[in-house]
Amino acid sequence: VLDCDIDLGGHIIYGFGDGSGSFNGTFDGQGHTISNFVIEHKTFNQVGTGLFNYCSKYAGDGGTIKNLNVSNANVTGPKSVGVIVGAAYNGFTIENCRVSNSVVNATEKRAGGLVGYIEGGTTVKNCSVENTKIYTKSSGLITENKDCQVIGYTNTGGKDENNTCENVEIFRNYNF
C-alpha cells in the first residue's frame, strides 16, 4: 500500500518489472499520488514501459493495481508504453486509477495514457486520463481502440470497462 503522496522531483526512474520478472502482487495507492518522474527506455525490454513495466497475474491472490493517481510523468519507450502500466497479461486488474498532466512517447507503437497493452483477461476499469499528450510513431495500432487515450492496444481477452478521458491529445506518425 502507498501511505502518502510521493514527489520524485523530476528524477529518471526505471519502473517495476522487466523481462526477468513481472509485478504480480497487489498495489493499493489508497488514493495517493506519485508525481514528477521520467522514464526513458531507449530499447525494448521485451515487456513494456511504465511505472509498472510488466504486470501479470499468477495463481492465487494478487494481480491488481488500484486507487493510484499519477501526475506530471513523462514516459518514453519503444512499444507498449503507458504512464502506470506498460503491458499487462493473464487476468491482471487495473482499477480506480488516474493519470493527469503527463506525456507518453511510443517511439514505435502501442501508446496509451494509462496502459500501453493488455491481453488475456486483463481488465482496466473505472480509470481516467486527463490533460495528457500521447505521441506515437505508429499510424495504425493506436487507432484500433475507441478508448486509446486510456489503453493503447487491447489484444484478445482484454477488457475495457467504464474508463474516461478528458483533454487527451494524440499525435500519430510522430517523428522522434
Side-chain angles (χ1 to χ4, degrees), residues 65-166:
I65 295 173
K66 61 185 179 180
N67 308 317
L68 176 63
N69 300 312
V70 175
S71 67
N72 299 315
N74 189 322
V75 181
T76 301
K79 59 184 175 179
S80 300
V81 183
V83 171
I84 294 181
V85 174
Y89 302 87
N90 301 329
F92 200 84
T93 301
I94 303 159
E95 62 183 320
N96 302 319
C97 293
R98 179 176 171 257
V99 170
S100 62
N101 305 313
S102 295
V103 177
V104 175
N105 303 291
T107 58
E108 291 179 25
K109 58 187 176 183
R110 297 180 183 157
L114 190 111
V115 59
Y117 177 87
I118 64 171
E119 76 171 25
T122 292
T123 301
V124 179
K125 64 183 178 180
N126 303 320
C127 294
S128 66
V129 177
E130 302 166 359
N131 304 318
T132 294
K133 294 182 180 184
I134 301 170
Y135 297 87
T136 181
K137 189 171 187 175
S138 172
S139 62
L141 286 177
I142 198 164
T143 64
E144 291 180 291
N145 296 322
K146 65 176 178 56
D147 198 13
C148 59
Q149 294 90 345
V150 176
I151 303 167
Y153 184 72
T154 302
N155 205 351
T156 305
K159 299 173 187 168
D160 174 359
E161 300 176 1
N162 198 34
N163 299 305
T164 62
C165 62
E166 183 178 326

Side-chain angles (χ1 to χ4, degrees), residues 11-23:
H11 288 284
I12 297 173
I13 63 171
Y14 185 80
F16 303 104
D18 60 20
S20 65
S22 66
F23 176 79

